Amino acid sequence: MSPAVAGLTMRAMRIAWAVLVSMLVLVAAGCGSEDLGAGEANGAELLKAGALVYWETDSDPDSDQWKQVEELLGRFPDGEKWIAELKKELQTEDDVSWEDDIKPALGDQTVAAVYAKSLVDISFVGMTNSKEPDKAVALVKKLNASDEGDDVITRIVGDWVVISDKEASIDAALGGDGSQTLADADGFKSAMEELPDDALSRVYFDPAAAVDAFGGADPETAKALQMFGLDKLDFAGAWAKAREDGAEIAGVVRGEGADKLLGTGESYASKFLDRVPADAFAFYSVQGEGATKQFEALRDNPLYGIALRQVETELGVKIDDIVALFRGEVAFYAAPGSPIPKLTLLLESDDPQQGRQSADRLLRTLAQRGGGKVTEEGGVTTASFEGFTVSLGSLEDALVLTTSRGAIEELGGSGDKLADSDRFKKALEAADTPDEYTGLLYTDLGEAVELALGWAGAAQENVPPEVSRNLKPLRSLVVYGKQDGNLATSLAFLEIE
């Protein structure tokens, strides 16, 4: 990236920060309207087809999305204080005022686009459909005056104010010369249909264009990008969205390379949820087959292959034997314990005894190298290290590695299970989690925060009151993946009460 573009990027980040602060301040004043999200306006109609990256965000502080942001911030005890501090910072930064400079410069939508021909030929433009274009131009001039280096330039095109590092970059990005616009490009239109138009912010990325631009002159770069399947993706995208009960962030990819990039596989429902105890405050499950395929691709790479052979020599265990342990469902959970939580890893296996031999060798090697002591009792191998233990056991169809020997009995017992827990079911429902997924992460943040504060107190660590009180509104975090043909989506939802 050229110094000019780097300088532009820093200024663009400052402008974006000022815009964000201003909108937070404005929504705190109680503005409201019936507007929706980032999809209302369409900056793509002004741009040429072929953008490597296209980002758009709702920059109307009166929109429904920003109203929801305000409502969510209000659930935190210090939410209004944060707004006040941001406002104060904005008013003292470079003599920029949100009332006189930012507010009149805001449009309903702010857009950024990146075009690239190579690693050293990258163009960036930013745009907003400002209500008062002259105010937007004046804002950029004020920021230019406060910084050293090349100035950011502006151009007014219709209802939009465009900024970049040089005129040539604007010319390279804008349509109007009879060429196809980005908004009319079939691939772009198809991709944006997969991103919710009521989101606060949306991003589009063209992986094939990245392979062409960055790998065209460098075979090694091209090979690295292709190894992760980027050359076989139609598009990648992401969005952020404020919801009534929390905040949502998601990413999506489509194409034959989706599985290879994300390590996803067929949708499934975790078989371990009916075994994990109900007091678990964190649970993670994924099908290991996709990850093992990614590993196999790395193993076949000569550079990584050498490093892996060195690891085998150090551990005394074949890497392939370890990887084989992760071919089925892999699950991890954490439950309350003292002095540390109970941590348990579950590895699905058609032949647990065979897999246990590899796991047993690895555990013993680690104990020997770490000064631990290994004991056998009741079919459980336990390695004792300073301050903690790791036990290895097996169920009918799974290996179990845990810091709590009693967890092996709990998994096989008939006590209350996580799948039937009301808090677990409520969290998954709030996140709109499907019955089957390509991976699942659940964290009861209320429980996790309470435990963390308790451990901090027991260790005589002082947690600032402003931290502890503002953690209380956080209820849960759920992350899941889903697959629909060659469209793969990963979504994270933070529940705020």
Side-chain angles (χ1 to χ4, degrees), residues 69-332:
V69 170
E70 175 197 5
E71 200 277 330
L72 291 175
L73 281 173
R75 300 180 189 182
F76 294 89
D78 291 347
E80 292 185 4
K81 178 183 176 182
W82 296 338
I83 295 294
E85 290 175 348
L86 289 173
K87 178 180 178 181
K88 182 179 179 181
E89 178 180 341
L90 175 61
Q91 290 177 326
T92 58
E93 178 71 16
D94 298 328
D95 295 324
V96 172
S97 164
W98 65 270
E99 181 66 40
D100 297 330
D101 299 307
I102 303 290
K103 180 179 178 181
L106 286 176
D108 294 333
Q109 187 183 80
T110 297
V111 168
V114 178
Y115 292 78
K117 294 181 180 179
S118 69
L119 283 169
V120 296
D121 188 358
I122 301 174
S123 299
F124 169 92
V125 295
M127 309 189 306
T128 186
N129 55 343
S130 177
K131 298 177 178 67
E132 297 185 44
D134 291 342
K135 287 286 189 178
V137 172
L139 170 63
V140 174
K141 288 181 177 179
K142 182 174 286 192
L143 293 175
N144 279 339
S146 67
D147 280 341
E148 297 180 357
D150 297 334
D151 287 345
V152 174
I153 65 169
T154 60
R155 184 187 300 180
I156 298 176
V157 182
D159 295 331
W160 294 82
V161 177
V162 186
I163 67 169
S164 190
D165 63 321
K166 53 183 180 290
E167 294 285 350
S169 295
I170 296 179
D171 292 337
L174 294 184
D177 59 356
S179 60
Q180 185 183 43
T181 67
L182 183 62
D184 291 331
D186 290 339
F188 177 80
K189 288 192 296 183
S190 177
M192 296 303 283
E193 288 175 357
E194 303 296 345
L195 310 180
D197 59 10
D198 61 344
L200 178 66
S201 190
R202 305 192 294 176
V203 179
Y204 160 84
F205 171 64
D206 186 344
V211 173
D212 291 340
F214 304 144
D218 185 354
E220 288 301 318
T221 299
K223 185 176 181 180
L225 295 174
Q226 291 167 2
M227 183 172 65
F228 291 101
L230 292 186
D231 60 323
K232 297 185 182 300
L233 289 180
D234 299 330
F235 83 96
W239 71 84
K241 186 176 181 180
R243 289 174 38 181
E244 183 178 352
D245 46 1
E248 170 184 302
I249 299 177
V252 59
V253 295
R254 185 174 62 202
E256 294 179 9
D259 288 351
K260 192 173 184 180
L261 176 66
L262 300 179
T264 59
E266 296 294 327
S267 298
Y268 72 103
S270 174
K271 65 187 303 179
F272 293 129
L273 283 172
D274 291 330
R275 295 183 177 180
V276 173
D279 64 346
F281 61 85
F283 176 81
Y284 173 68
S285 170
V286 67
Q287 287 289 347
E289 184 177 0
T292 58
K293 288 181 179 178
Q294 288 185 324
F295 170 80
E296 289 167 355
L298 290 175
R299 181 192 59 191
D300 295 337
N301 184 295
L303 179 61
Y304 293 107
I306 293 174
L308 290 175
R309 285 192 289 274
Q310 291 176 341
V311 172
E312 285 183 334
T313 301
E314 288 290 323
L315 296 179
V317 180
K318 288 185 177 296
I319 294 295
D320 284 348
D321 291 341
I322 297 176
V323 172
L325 299 174
F326 294 84
R327 292 194 182 279
E329 182 184 352
V330 179
F332 167 85

Side-chain angles (χ1 to χ4, degrees), residues 371-415:
K373 179 182 178 182
V374 178
T375 59
E376 289 272 359
E377 182 181 352
V380 177
T381 303
T382 300
S384 301
F385 301 89
E386 184 176 354
F388 71 99
T389 64
V390 177
S391 294
L392 169 65
S394 59
L395 303 175
E396 181 180 350
D397 55 357
L399 289 177
V400 183
L401 277 164
T402 178
T403 59
S404 171
R405 193 178 189 281
I408 300 174
E409 296 179 2
E410 283 185 309
L411 288 164
S414 58

Side-chain angles (χ1 to χ4, degrees), residues 194 239 250-253 262 438 480-484 487-491:
E194 303 296 345
W239 71 84
V252 59
V253 295
L262 300 179
T438 57
Y480 61 84
K482 60 182 181 179
Q483 191 91 16
D484 183 6
L487 182 72
T489 304
S490 295
L491 186 145

